[in-house]
Amino acid sequence: MLRTSKLRRRLVRNQDGSAAVEFALVALPFCFMIFAILELGLVFVLDSVLENATIETGRLVRTGQAQASSMDAAGFKSALCDRMSIFAGPCSTQVQVDVREMPDFATVAPDPMQAGSFNSALLTYGNGSAGSLMLVRVWYRHPLMTTFLSQGLSRMDDGTAMLTATTAFRNEP
């Protein structure tokens, strides 16, 4: 009886391997959190690159270069993707563009992202004329790998994030 009691106390006090067990319990959530932070950083970088590419490509419309070269939606998309630096590879299949002339600032352009899907039939392309008020909108579909992020960032049913960049301007004379 005394021997069993001593053995039991010794086993209760023995902590050889407790660090390994604690690490096993913490390692998976920690690695998941680090991966989610890295993926969120990638999304922020992609959003910044998309915004800059949209502004720079919209400048072609604003200055009349798009009208002079008879640029269409495919040409605008190609020029945009050329400015996407490290994200230029999948850009042509991931990006949707909408360039339209607006009658005034109070007019609301249709939203192609409704009910968890993207309706590309609502998109148009027009270079406008000198003095036209223009709205350039670009959507970039980015697949998310972390399920936690896809629940928080995605408005699409397929779990992808649709990053949006918009610029409005008046065409130069």
Side-chain angles (χ1 to χ4, degrees):
M1 178 77 167
L2 184 60
R3 186 172 199 164
T4 309
S5 159
K6 252 185 179 179
L7 182 63
R8 190 175 298 147
R9 276 188 295 217
R10 197 173 88 214
L11 287 176
V12 169
R13 283 191 304 239
N14 189 359
Q15 295 186 1
D16 294 345
S18 63
V21 171
E22 290 171 2
F23 178 76
L25 292 172
V26 173
L28 185 62
F30 179 75
C31 290
F32 179 75
M33 183 180 66
I34 294 297
F35 185 72
I37 289 170
L38 291 174
E39 187 173 27
L40 188 59
L42 177 70
V43 169
F44 281 134
V45 169
L46 176 58
D47 186 54
S48 179
V49 169
L50 179 66
E51 187 73 32
N52 289 330
T54 301
I55 291 169
E56 289 176 18
T57 310
R59 191 171 195 285
L60 297 175
V61 176
R62 183 176 58 228
T63 59
Q65 296 174 47
Q67 294 89 332
S69 65
S70 301
M71 184 178 279
D72 60 353
F76 187 89
K77 186 191 252 189
S78 175
L80 177 88
C81 288
D82 289 345
R83 290 171 170 80
M84 289 289 290
S85 65
I86 61 171
F87 302 104
C91 176
S92 61
T93 59
Q94 307 290 69
V95 75
Q96 299 285 335
V97 298
D98 180 49
V99 180
R100 63 178 66 218
E101 186 175 351
M102 301 296 285
D104 54 31
F105 285 110
T107 304
V108 177
D111 183 13
M113 288 180 36
Q114 295 175 354
S117 64
F118 191 85
N119 184 1
S120 59
L122 297 174
L123 305 180
T124 63
Y125 184 87
N127 289 320
S129 56
S132 297
L133 181 61
M134 301 298 296
L135 176 66
V136 176
R137 300 184 297 171
V138 175
W139 292 269
Y140 188 97
R141 183 182 301 267
H142 179 67
L144 297 170
M145 294 182 211
T146 310
T147 56
F148 177 71
L149 284 181
S150 64
Q151 292 172 357
L153 290 179
S154 179
R155 287 179 46 197
M156 308 306 290
D157 288 340
D158 60 359
T160 59
M162 280 300 257
L163 303 176
T164 306
T166 305
T167 183
F169 51 83
R170 188 171 299 278
N171 280 351
E172 295 178 0

